[in-house]
Each structure stands twice: as C-alpha cells, then as structure tokens.
Amino acid sequence: MTQRVLTTESGAPVADNQNSATAGAGGPLLLQDQHLLEKLARFNRERIPERVVHARGSGAHGYFEVTDDVTEFTHADFLSSVGRRTETFIRFSTVADSLGGADAVRDPRGFALKFYTDEGNYDLVGNNTPVFFIKDPIKFPDFIHSQKRDPFTGRQEPDNVWDFWAHAPEATHQVTWLMGDRGIPASYRHMNGYGSHTYQWTNAAGEAFFVKYHFKTNQGIRCLSAEQAAELAGKDATSHQTDLLQAIERGVNPSWTLYVQVMTAAEAADYRFNPFDLTKVWPHGDHPLRRVGRLVLDRNPENVFAEVEQAAFSPNNFVPGIGPSPDKMLQGRLFAYADAHRYRLGVNHTRLPVNAPRTPVVDNYGRDGLHATRNGTRHDKNYEPNSYAGPAQTDRALSAPLAIHGWTGTHAAPAHIKDDDFFQAGELYRLMSEEEKGRLVANIAGGLSRVTREDVIEKNLAHFRAADADYGRRVEEAVRALRED
C-alpha cells in the first residue's frame, strides 16, 4: 500500500510533524513555522457553538418505507406508493443539558428526522412526547432559561424549574409525562417518537387535512427508574449513544412504525378544544391511528461531528403535499430552527453533505456568505426574474392555504368548549396503575420539595389538584413529608 503523504491545509507536504521549528536546538520557537501555527490556530477553532437546546445528541442513517396507501390525504411524492423507500437521517437528543451532559436523565428526547426525498428534504422535528410545556413561542426562551443551568450556581435549580411551571398551568400535562415512567427512556431504541405539532397534508385534489405523527417503537417501550438512571449515568454518561451505535454495528437495526391521526379542516373548525394546541393530544377515539410505513436505522455515521453535530433540521423544510398548521409553537419554530443553524453553521449549512438534498439539481439565487461553494459563473445571474433562463417559480403551492380572519394584535388563544390546561393531565394520571402513580408522585415531590418558596410550591400543587384531586393530594402529602425530614 502506498504511504499517504501528510500535508498542510493548502496541500503542501509536511516534512516534520513531531518537532516544532526553533532557533537552534533548544531555542525559542519560530514564527515562520507555518505548520505549527496552522495546527494550533485550527485546533482553537475546532468547536462550533453548541445548540442552545438539544445539544447532546446521537444520530443514524436509515430509510423509510411506505406500507399503506395514504394518497387519499397527501400527494407527497415520497408517500405516493406502497413499497416506496426514502433515505433518512435521524438525530436523537436530550433537551436541557449541554453537550457534555449524560444521556440517562429525566428530560424529553428530541426525535428529528430528515427525509431525503426526490422533491427536496422534508424535516420532521419532534420529541418522544406527544405534547410540550408551552403553547406560544414567545415563552420559549423564558422556559428554556428556567430549565438550563442557573447563571449564578451553574447548575439546574429546582427554584427556577418549578417557578416557571407554577406560572405556566398549561405545562401540567407535559410535566405529568416527564415525571412519569416514560420520563427516562432506557435507550433511544426503546421509545416512541412524535411529530408533536399538528401539520397539514394536502391531496392531489387540493383538499386539506390536519395530521399528527406517531412513530411507535418496534423494540417495545423500556424505561429507567430514577435510581437506575442515576447509576447508569455514573457508569456511562453516553449510554444511549453507546446502545444505538452498538446495536446497529451488530446488525440489530432499530425500527419504528409510523402512524398518523387525520382530522378534516371542517372537524378542526369546531373541535371541542383547540386542535393546534401543542399541550394537548387528540383522543384516539376521535381520530384513530392510521398506519403509513416503517422507519429503519441501518447505518452509523462515519464521523459524529460531520454528521450529527452539523446535522441541521428545520420544520420549515416542507415538500409538495405537506405544510404547516396554525399551531403557534410550530409557526415560531419555522423561523427559529433555521436561524439557529445559520448562526451555528453559517448561511451555507444546507450544502454540507448531511444536510444537502439528494435532488439532481439545487438551483436558486443564494450566493456568497461563509463557506460558499456554489456561486455561479459569469453566465449565471443572481437576481430574478431575468432574461437569461435562470430558475423560475412553479406557481404550484406546496400545501393548501390557511384561512385567516380578524384583527392583528397580541391575542390570547381562542377559547373552545373544552379548553383547559388540566383535563388531559388528569386523564393521563387516571390511566396509570397504582404503581405508576406512586412513582410519578415520588418523582414530582423529589424536585418540588427542594423549592425554597412556599408560594411556588402551592401554585404547583394547585395545578395537580385541578388535574385530579387524588393527584394533588398525593403530591402535597409527599412534598410535605420530604420537607419535614
């Protein structure tokens, strides 16, 4: 085998990679040692800004295969025929902690999926829970600040966490999910994934439907208790990453079955609660699950930085037949996600291999910027319309238009007949076994009892009482018992 030659960034061969150039043997270093300076300067710049949320992540390549006909609801090409396969990349993640955080912690898990379709990339950005803590994006920075490390103590503080939730009654449903048995998945393979938001599908006739995505794990749900998680995090902080990597390397390819719930536009117009509220689920009795296909992960990234850290997902990456809904949180994320990647990776991040679409041609008027690699020639104009046969619009909308009415302004969410922040949290509690309820109460009390302000504790207890009287009573008793110890 021919020996490869080490070179500088500019391609010049390196004569000595073991010794820096000095002024005589044992003398001071020389500024002219270009190889040394280049290595140190490049090393200083190896890290890019980590994600503010979802910083700690793992990823894998795979494919999505259609198993059931859904053309009644969408004309998306990658869903157009049974047996159709589309290449995918997924990124799993924890939410609150930094890149160096442990995997086995009580935290929602990101479930971000990129479909490399023939009509461009479709990004589905969700979590392992079907709901979220808030319903309006204007509160998202506040929520995340309350969950991240405190600027003074440098750690997550129960006072901050529970104070925010005390003032956000709509979080009660998601708190019940998070503090329950599914709050700490045993691995990324053993949890469900959800689109969480409501999306719009449009069929070939132009009819619009609203959908929710459910990826059900075919490995079965497995979770960790708080004690098991603490032990595992101490033994292997990268436990979820290790499990995913080793499973795929062994050929044990994880898979999920995708189902959707479908709601017509007419049903959405007068549904008993706001169907676009991210803090609520659609009861399956109203809108049963319809099977769509299966997701299979069969290849690990060759380079975690290149393919996981640089992977950029944005819910505004739609394809024909799929579009947004009036979900306020989704609407905010249509901007925020893409903008985060422009900050972290640069305006040309969509040309990195893991993010680049698989379509034969990417043709637009985007030019220049950091890391620009496709700037056109003397014959390509960077404006539109033009007289030089440049790319032009199709006049075919990706999805159906959304009807709007009323006055602009900062409106509170419209009230529906059955809108409240507690009913579904109570329904979830009442579905649990006595053992599950006991663990839920213990998990909540473990954090809430450490809050220093009695009024913050009482506000949170009021939320649990509003969800279910027994729920609130048991949490209150557990908190008081811990505070008296």
Side-chain angles (χ1 to χ4, degrees), residues 2 80 103 122-123 151 176 189 272 309 370 397 427:
T2 305
S80 62
D103 287 342
Y122 172 45
D123 288 353
T176 305
R189 296 183 296 131
R272 63 183 181 276
E309 281 307 296
L370 192 67
E427 288 283 274

Side-chain angles (χ1 to χ4, degrees), residues 302-448:
E302 292 295 317
N303 184 289
V304 171
F305 178 82
E307 299 170 68
V308 180
E309 281 307 296
Q310 292 193 135
F313 300 85
S314 176
N316 66 4
N317 287 339
F318 293 115
V319 293
I322 303 177
S325 79
D327 178 339
K328 291 179 77 172
M329 282 296 295
L330 172 61
Q331 294 281 325
R333 284 170 168 160
L334 297 181
F335 164 76
Y337 275 58
D339 191 57
H341 301 312
R342 294 184 193 105
Y343 163 68
R344 291 183 61 246
L345 302 169
V347 72
N348 290 301
H349 68 272
T350 55
R351 299 175 192 177
L352 295 169
V354 70
N355 300 321
R358 304 296 192 260
T359 52
V361 176
V362 175
D363 207 357
N364 56 49
Y365 297 94
R367 295 289 186 271
D368 306 334
L370 192 67
H371 303 148
T373 58
R374 181 175 56 84
N375 289 319
T377 69
R378 71 176 74 182
H379 306 294
D380 297 310
K381 302 303 177 181
N382 66 342
Y383 57 87
E384 196 281 334
N386 61 61
S387 304
Y388 296 86
Q393 65 196 42
T394 66
D395 292 322
R396 296 190 301 273
L398 296 184
S399 57
L402 297 172
I404 59 172
H405 64 277
W407 300 93
T408 61
T410 54
H411 303 288
H416 293 62
I417 298 172
K418 293 292 185 180
D419 258 341
D420 74 66
D421 294 323
F422 307 110
F423 177 75
Q424 289 199 352
E427 288 283 274
L428 179 58
Y429 175 78
R430 290 184 286 275
L431 284 173
M432 295 179 181
S433 68
E434 277 302 308
E435 293 76 14
E436 289 173 322
K437 289 177 181 177
R439 290 189 290 270
L440 168 67
V441 168
N443 290 333
I444 293 173
L448 189 54

Side-chain angles (χ1 to χ4, degrees), residues 137-205:
I138 203 167
K139 297 305 299 175
F140 189 74
D142 301 297
F143 166 62
I144 295 301
H145 289 165
S146 75
Q147 309 298 301
K148 299 288 278 188
R149 300 188 181 200
D150 183 85
F152 172 65
T153 66
R155 64 184 186 183
Q156 190 182 61
E157 289 294 342
D159 275 353
N160 301 344
V161 170
W162 289 96
D163 186 36
F164 181 88
W165 288 340
H167 293 88
E170 70 270 25
T172 308
H173 192 188
Q174 173 73 325
V175 169
T176 305
W177 271 90
L178 179 62
M179 296 299 171
D181 282 357
R182 296 195 183 186
I184 314 178
S187 78
Y188 290 132
R189 296 183 296 131
H190 295 94
M191 68 181 195
N192 291 341
Y194 301 89
S196 301
H197 296 289
T198 301
Y199 294 90
Q200 185 202 78
W201 277 7
T202 309
N203 66 16

